[in-house]
Structure formats: structure tokens, C-alpha cells
Amino acid sequence: MTHSLTPSDIKQFQSYLMDSNIKLNTAKKYVRDVNKLAHFLSDQTQILSQSSLDAFLKSLPDAGYEARSINSIIASIKSYCKYAGRTDLHCKSLNIRKKCSQDIQARLTEEEYEALLHTALEQENYRLVLLIQIFALTDIRMNELQYLTVEALEEGVVTVPRAGEPFEVLLPQDLIGDLYEYIDYQEISDGIIFCTKKGTALDRSYIWRQMKELAVEAQVDPDKVYPQNLKRQLVRSHFTIDYSNS
């Protein structure tokens, strides 16, 4: 059995939760998480099925969610599936019990981080140089790059929707200066900074692929190169682009 996940379905789920013996904050979180799934299905023009649910869960790490957050979302979805009688749908919680030594080994070293940026600079891939630093130096997630606009630079703040409400991400002054130089170099006057020729936001699968290919060129383990791992670095060197030789 498959069906769409409509606003009416979510509203009924919300009413069910309110009538149940569930704390208000928990009920609100369940609804927010199921809404995330609904938005994903809408963006992908898919119905709620096992394959689309798997695709949604697979997209969460790319969007910057860590294992604990993903497990929390899974708990919300399980609650909805139980309510809706969707016994055909299954999602297994992630195993987040890792040894400290394994966690440390999984992190990018300062040398690996610098190798990525040096390699991108050598390739004159200025977009990747900035994207890596954006993920490392700010709280912006990959799926939120569409909100990083020329207009946002003027405010020094990127406003993104999180949990159904606006959330402000501050931009470091050094990074703002770099982005202004970049938009001048690329002759971008307004709108989304990192976009396609048609002006639409870059697909995150494209960014993901570019970062993995860069890792191979930089001789860095590609499995260690993803936005959340960039944010975990203790030391983040700032790299300025010299466009004069381009």
C-alpha cells in the first residue's frame, strides 16, 4: 500500500497526538519531523513508500544531520507509521555507539583540511574553496545554500527555515569579504550566490560529488569529506583567493 503524505494527513496526525498522552513539545517535534518527510516527498514528486522513505533517510547526512538527530527523526516517523497503520514501512535506528578512537580517526585533520583547500585553489575551483570554508566556518547546511544570497551578504546574516521557523546564521567578516570578491569575479549582481547558469540553487548531489572528487585529488579519504565533518574541525585555517592570476 502506498499513498501521498498530505497536509491533511499531518493535521490528523497532530490531532491524534494532542489527544494522546504525549508531551506537547514531543508532539510538536513529531509533527515537524513528519513535515520534513512530506516536503522531501513533495520536492521529489514521490508518494510515501519504502523506497521514498529510504531515500529521505539517506538524504539526511548530506543535509548535515548527525546520527543522534537522524534517530530522533526516525522515532517521529515510526510514530506516524504506527498511527497511520503503515506496517509496510520500516526504518531502523542508526548505531551511534562508536569508540572514541574510531571517532577521532574519522575526523579530518588540519593537514587534510588544508590539502583540500590547496588542491581546490590549484585547480582554480574557487567555488569549492568557498563552499568548504562556508561549511567549516558557519552553521549553514548543504540544503540551505539557496538562502545564501547577495542580499544576505549585505545583512551579514543568512536566514534559513528550521523546524518551521526562521533561524539566523551569522557570517564571519572574513568570509563576507571573500564572498564579495567572489561575486565581483563571477559578475553576480543579485540572488543566489552558488547557483546554476539558470540561477537555480546547486543540487546538493552535485556539490557532494564535487567534494568527493576533490578529496581523491587531494589524497584525502573521501569518506571523511562531508559538511558535518568540516564543522567538527578544531583548527580551521582561512584561505583567501587571489584572482589576479586567473
Side-chain angles (χ1 to χ4, degrees):
M1 177 180 66
T2 57
H3 62 72
S4 300
L5 183 54
T6 66
S8 177
D9 293 329
I10 297 175
K11 187 174 183 180
Q12 291 175 24
F13 176 53
Q14 183 175 20
S15 297
Y16 159 78
L17 292 173
M18 294 303 178
D19 292 338
S20 303
N21 189 24
I22 297 177
K23 292 182 179 179
L24 179 60
N25 287 340
T26 301
K28 287 182 177 179
K29 185 189 182 307
Y30 282 179
V31 171
R32 287 199 303 267
D33 289 344
V34 174
N35 260 316
K36 292 173 186 174
L37 173 58
H39 291 154
F40 175 84
L41 296 175
S42 177
D43 290 342
Q44 302 293 321
T45 62
Q46 296 185 45
I47 55 177
L48 180 56
S49 65
Q50 186 64 56
S51 61
S52 63
L53 176 57
D54 290 343
F56 169 69
L57 296 177
K58 189 177 180 181
S59 74
L60 295 178
D62 292 1
Y65 290 93
E66 292 189 335
R68 291 184 185 278
S69 297
I70 294 173
N71 282 343
S72 179
I73 293 173
I74 287 174
S76 302
I77 293 173
K78 283 182 176 180
S79 177
Y80 174 78
C81 289
K82 182 179 179 181
Y83 150 77
R86 295 300 305 269
T87 57
D88 56 310
L89 299 178
H90 307 280
C91 44
K92 186 178 179 181
S93 298
L94 304 179
N95 181 8
I96 59 176
R97 293 182 179 178
K98 297 181 180 180
K99 294 181 180 179
C100 291
S101 60
Q102 291 176 324
D103 184 58
I104 292 172
Q105 290 173 4
R107 296 193 182 195
L108 279 169
T109 65
E110 181 182 358
E111 291 75 17
E112 289 171 329
Y113 174 74
E114 291 186 356
L116 291 172
L117 289 172
H118 279 303
T119 302
L121 283 169
E122 289 172 357
Q123 296 176 349
E124 297 186 1
N125 193 334
Y126 303 136
R127 181 163 61 187
L128 264 185
V129 173
L130 284 171
L131 285 174
I132 289 172
Q133 294 188 90
I134 286 168
F135 294 136
L137 302 173
T138 77
D139 192 35
I140 294 176
R141 300 168 180 172
M142 190 177 289
N143 64 328
E144 294 171 346
L145 283 173
Q146 60 184 304
Y147 303 105
L148 179 52
T149 63
V150 174
E151 292 74 19
L153 279 189
E154 296 171 359
E155 300 294 330
V157 174
V158 180
T159 302
V160 301
R162 291 188 188 172
E165 297 182 0
F167 179 85
E168 293 188 344
V169 179
L170 295 177
L171 297 173
Q173 286 300 317
D174 287 343
L175 189 56
I176 291 175
D178 290 343
L179 287 168
Y180 269 121
E181 289 187 10
Y182 177 77
I183 63 176
D184 286 343
Y185 178 74
Q186 297 289 354
E187 298 181 350
I188 301 171
S189 58
D190 55 28
I192 302 172
I193 294 175
F194 299 101
C195 61
T196 65
K197 292 181 179 179
K198 294 182 179 180
T200 58
L202 291 176
D203 184 83
R204 61 187 173 191
S205 63
Y206 170 79
I207 300 173
W208 192 257
R209 186 172 63 253
Q210 290 272 301
M211 292 180 67
K212 296 297 185 182
E213 291 175 356
L214 177 66
V216 173
E217 292 294 326
Q219 298 183 358
V220 175
D221 183 357
D223 289 339
K224 297 173 70 173
V225 181
Y226 54 93
Q228 198 60 34
N229 217 15
L230 292 170
K231 297 182 192 302
R232 298 166 72 192
Q233 299 313 296
L234 297 177
V235 179
R236 305 182 184 97
S237 303
H238 179 260
F239 282 68
T240 301
I241 300 170
D242 181 5
Y243 296 100
S244 62
N245 296 323
S246 302

